[in-house]
Amino acid sequence: MDFIKSAVHNVASKSRPPSYVSALFKDDHDDYDSKSHPLQPVGGPSSPARPRPKQWFPMYLRPWFITMVLILMLITAVIVEIAAYFSEKRGGWRLLGIAEFGGANFLKSAIPVILTTPAGFVFGKIDEALAGMHPYVVLAKGRAPAKKSILLSYSGGRPTVMFQSFLNTHFLVLFSSAICLATGVLSPLASGILTSRGSPVTIPNVQVTSVKSLGLVSDFDSLASFLGAAGFASAAATQNLTDPPSILGSWSVAQFNVPPATGPGENGTVVVPTTGIQTLSGCGSAVSTTTSQTASGFSLTGAWRTCNVAFQLPATGADQYGIEPVSLCQGDLANLPLQFQPVVFWFLSESTKTTGMTFCQPTSKAYNVLAHADLGSGLLTKIDIVDANVAPNNFTGAPQNGQTFNGATFDTTNAPPLVKARGLAIQTALPDAIYRATRSYPGGLPAMIAQNNGQPLTDLTNHTYTQFLSIAAQSTYFFDTIAPIQSQIINWEIRLWIYPIAAHAFAAALVVIAIIALVVHMQHAKARRDVFLSADPGTIGATLSMTSESQFYKTLRAGDDEDAMERKFKGMTFGISRRTWQIVAEGQEEGCIGKKKKKRPFGGEVVRVRRFKKDVALNGGIEE
């Protein structure tokens, strides 16, 4: 042991500024007296061996905590995927009972926060704990420069920490900070998971009452139903009216009573299985027309398919229009009764001396259908054809055999005067409604006749005539009856849905982050297995306890900044003593890890001290 004192004295007494080695053994008092305070040799009585402390780790780095966090992330990913599946399967979720909290908007804002905020907070704490622990991981490995160990601080902002850890090749800290930043991606993904939209909710087994059934009415020849239809079609052509209940375009269904709204939806639809008739007007523009002036007026001719018409008109000095049966036909249109013959709507423009003609041959067919009616207005919104196997009746069977009245021309030779008047009114009302509707077209009747071979005029005629035929079918081909029908109500209500793409992306991000975090923390757990800290090193007391018997810190003075400390510690490396479990300067204090130790016969350890050219036996060993 005298050798140690002599060596230290020789080094410390050289004529040069006080060195770090001399400071290692300087007394805490400035009035140090070598006689009254003799230097203690390295590993001497001043630094007795200490039992290894228990391993202290921050809660956020403990295996059970990391495992719990990762499992919760995976469970959250699974729950999101399951919720997305059931969202599609059941058509979203009702929002009952949360209206006072803001309904769907509250959930769309709150749930993403609940899903992402804990992850961001926890991984932020984990990253702080890992970064704060890493200097001790470096020290435990030994041979650590001061800048990468005792002067290392990862307390800056996360981008700064990532850059600094990259320069220091501390990749575990780098990836931990990257994971923390990656949790920020979860927020925009989670914000797109929930959406609200109108969704159908079906209420089955709702009974409605049908008040009509398919079949030809007995008083159809009174023409009352046709006159009423002509009046509505005439008003609709000029007033832009919608179809009445039980009518939708070319469809007419057996009338039923629309039930009141059921459930939370206010814009629901009732779906009723019933019978419907689709009546097609079969209208088309004349293939050719001629308009010739005569001494008394005009001579008009027209051709369409296998049919031809020709008639004379007086000169009135105004536009003329009308509807006529088409009896001169060949093939399957020949020799038809008057009420089943094709008809022609004709319009003569006095100003241009041109004629527009539209020929129509209506047809009808009965179907079993699903009629969709709005609960609020009672109007039809959709017709779905089921099949054409309707029950036997006197419209599809004898005596009508599915033939369709043209609705405008009837044999009223022997009819009462009232019926004759009705027939005349029908023949007047229909073309009059079409003619008055032409006034809203730019250029009026002449422009409609001239454009595209009169196609605009044909389209207008087709619309008006189809509406007339559908309304007439409701009163002519359905008779009064009362029967219950089992139907269903489809309510449209605002429901909460999970957007599949956002849900899959969010779940995938959780799984990827969890896997990367698992790898990082498994590696960090392996790296810190040699770190033995008895308490949280973040306190001043814990810091002092880690250096209380070390000597290197005595080179520091109050007011030393980071640059000054770097200069004082330049060229030194540090580690944690395996004997005292304190931070020491390697090669200048005893028992550091990272040094090759030689066992001596008497149980001592030999540590090679760089500035001494001899090995020193510790704990009762002998000199080499």
Side-chain angles (χ1 to χ4, degrees):
M1 300 306 290
D2 292 337
F3 169 76
I4 298 176
K5 292 182 180 181
S6 176
V8 171
H9 177 75
N10 291 336
V11 173
S13 60
K14 290 183 179 180
S15 57
R16 54 182 176 84
S19 68
Y20 173 69
V21 177
S22 62
L24 288 176
F25 298 94
K26 186 177 180 181
D27 191 79
D28 292 343
H29 302 286
D30 291 336
D31 55 348
Y32 171 75
D33 184 0
S34 59
K35 294 182 179 180
S36 58
H37 300 280
L39 291 174
Q40 298 294 335
V42 178
S46 63
S47 56
R50 298 284 189 268
R52 188 179 69 181
K54 295 181 179 180
Q55 279 191 311
W56 178 93
F57 295 117
M59 182 188 72
Y60 296 107
L61 293 182
R62 294 176 185 175
W64 66 265
F65 185 84
I66 298 294
T67 302
M68 179 186 69
V69 170
L70 298 184
I71 291 176
L72 287 177
M73 291 182 68
L74 296 178
I75 291 175
T76 303
V78 172
I79 290 174
V80 169
E81 288 294 334
I82 292 174
Y85 169 77
F86 282 103
S87 174
E88 291 294 323
K89 184 176 181 179
R90 60 176 295 169
W93 287 274
R94 281 186 173 182
L95 299 175
L96 301 179
I98 64 168
E100 59 271 20
F101 297 105
N105 291 332
F106 169 75
L107 292 178
K108 288 190 291 184
S109 301
I111 291 181
V113 173
I114 294 173
L115 290 175
T116 59
T117 300
F121 173 80
V122 169
F123 275 102
K125 290 296 184 180
I126 291 175
D127 182 51
E128 291 177 6
L130 188 146
M133 190 79 178
H134 205 71
Y136 297 94
V137 173
V138 176
L139 286 170
K141 294 179 179 179
R143 304 181 184 275
K147 194 170 184 179
K148 293 186 178 181
S149 56
I150 63 174
L151 298 181
L152 178 62
S153 174
Y154 285 129
S155 60
R158 196 149 282 114
T160 303
V161 171
M162 294 180 66
F163 180 73
Q164 186 179 358
S165 61
F166 176 77
L167 295 180
N168 292 334
T169 65
H170 296 164
F171 295 113
L172 291 178
V173 178
L174 175 64
F175 280 107
S176 176
S177 297
I179 292 172
C180 191
L181 288 180
T183 58
V185 178
L186 298 176
S187 182
L189 292 178
S191 64
I193 290 178
L194 296 178
T195 182
S196 58
R197 66 174 185 259
S199 307
V201 179
T202 301
I203 303 174
N205 302 322
V206 178
Q207 183 171 301
V208 301
T209 302
S210 175
V211 297
K212 294 282 186 179
S213 186
L214 181 63
L216 183 66
V217 297
S218 58
D219 63 344
F220 70 91
D221 53 358
S222 69
L223 305 187
S225 60
F226 295 99
L227 180 61
F232 187 92
S234 177
T238 55
Q239 302 300 322
N240 196 27
L241 302 179
T242 60
D243 291 325
S246 302
I247 305 296
L248 181 63
S250 61
W251 284 96
S252 178
V253 301
Q255 188 175 351
F256 53 85
N257 295 329
V258 177
T262 303
E266 298 180 357
N267 56 346
T269 300
V270 61
V271 182
V272 181
T274 184
T275 307
I277 294 178
Q278 186 178 35
T279 304
L280 303 177
S281 67
C283 292
S285 300
V287 176
S288 63
T289 61
T290 61
T291 305
S292 304
Q293 285 186 291
T294 64
S296 59
F298 296 93
S299 175
L300 307 181
T301 65
W304 175 75
R305 294 187 182 176
T306 62
C307 300
N308 295 277
V309 293
F311 46 90
Q312 304 295 316
L313 296 178
T316 61
D319 294 340
Q320 299 182 61
Y321 47 85
I323 183 172
E324 299 290 339
V326 181
S327 57
L328 299 176
C329 295
Q330 304 295 324
D332 58 350
L333 298 179
N335 303 318
L336 293 175
L338 182 63
Q339 65 270 28
F340 300 129
Q341 289 180 1
V343 295
V344 58
F345 291 85
W346 58 267
F347 301 88
L348 173 64
S349 172
E350 177 68 26
S351 62
T352 60
K353 304 300 187 290
T354 55
T355 301
M357 291 186 181
T358 300
F359 290 80
C360 300
Q361 176 58 53
T363 57
S364 298
K365 189 171 183 179
Y367 297 93
N368 292 317
V369 300
L370 292 176
H372 299 246
D374 182 72
L375 293 177
S377 63
L379 300 179
L380 293 180
T381 58
K382 183 182 178 183
I383 301 294
D384 293 327
I385 297 176
V386 177
D387 56 52
N389 301 320
V390 297
N393 59 84
N394 63 352
F395 169 69
T396 58
Q400 193 74 3
N401 295 317
Q403 288 183 297
T404 305
F405 294 120
N406 60 39
T409 59
F410 292 90
D411 185 3
T412 58
T413 303
N414 299 319
L418 180 59
V419 175
K420 291 182 180 181
R422 286 172 178 167
L424 181 60
I426 294 169
Q427 294 177 14
T428 304
L430 286 176
D432 179 69
I434 297 171
Y435 175 73
R436 287 186 291 117
T438 62
R439 297 174 181 175
S440 62
Y441 191 85
L445 179 62
M448 297 186 79
I449 294 174
Q451 184 176 350
N452 195 20
N453 194 31
Q455 190 60 44
L457 182 60
T458 298
D459 293 341
L460 177 59
T461 302
N462 176 63
H463 175 77
T464 304
Y465 189 45
T466 298
Q467 190 176 49
F468 161 75
L469 291 172
S470 299
I471 297 172
Q474 177 64 223
S475 304
T476 306
Y477 307 137
F478 294 95
F479 63 90
D480 293 335
T481 186
I482 296 178
I485 302 177
Q486 291 297 320
S487 63
Q488 61 182 7
I489 290 179
I490 300 176
N491 280 328
W492 283 87
E493 58 185 46
I494 300 298
R495 293 171 71 88
L496 194 66
W497 287 71
I498 292 181
Y499 189 56
I501 295 178
H504 299 330
F506 178 76
L510 285 178
V511 172
V512 170
I513 291 174
I515 292 175
I516 296 175
L518 175 63
V519 173
V520 169
H521 287 284
M522 287 180 64
Q523 293 299 317
H524 193 263
K526 182 179 179 181
R528 68 173 184 256
R529 64 187 175 186
D530 291 328
V531 178
F532 294 91
L533 302 176
S534 59
D536 182 359
T539 64
I540 296 177
T543 303
L544 293 175
S545 71
M546 291 289 293
T547 57
S548 61
E549 298 182 19
S550 300
Q551 303 297 323
F552 68 88
Y553 76 91
K554 294 185 179 181
T555 63
L556 302 178
R557 295 293 179 265
D560 284 351
D561 57 12
E562 185 174 352
D563 292 336
M565 288 186 285
E566 285 186 13
R567 287 193 302 270
K568 292 182 178 181
F569 294 148
K570 185 177 181 181
M572 299 183 186
T573 58
F574 298 86
I576 295 179
S577 170
R578 292 299 190 187
R579 202 171 63 81
T580 62
W581 304 103
Q582 292 197 330
I583 300 173
V584 295
E586 289 189 358
Q588 297 165 349
E589 298 186 47
E590 83 292 353
C592 302
I593 68 167
K595 294 299 174 185
K596 293 184 179 179
K597 303 174 183 179
K598 299 180 181 180
K599 291 291 182 179
R600 305 304 291 173
F602 301 101
E605 294 177 347
V606 175
V607 178
R608 186 172 300 279
V609 182
R610 295 176 187 171
R611 297 190 181 181
F612 298 99
K613 298 184 179 179
K614 296 285 187 177
D615 287 334
V616 180
L618 305 177
N619 298 334
I622 61 173
E623 291 185 5
E624 183 178 57

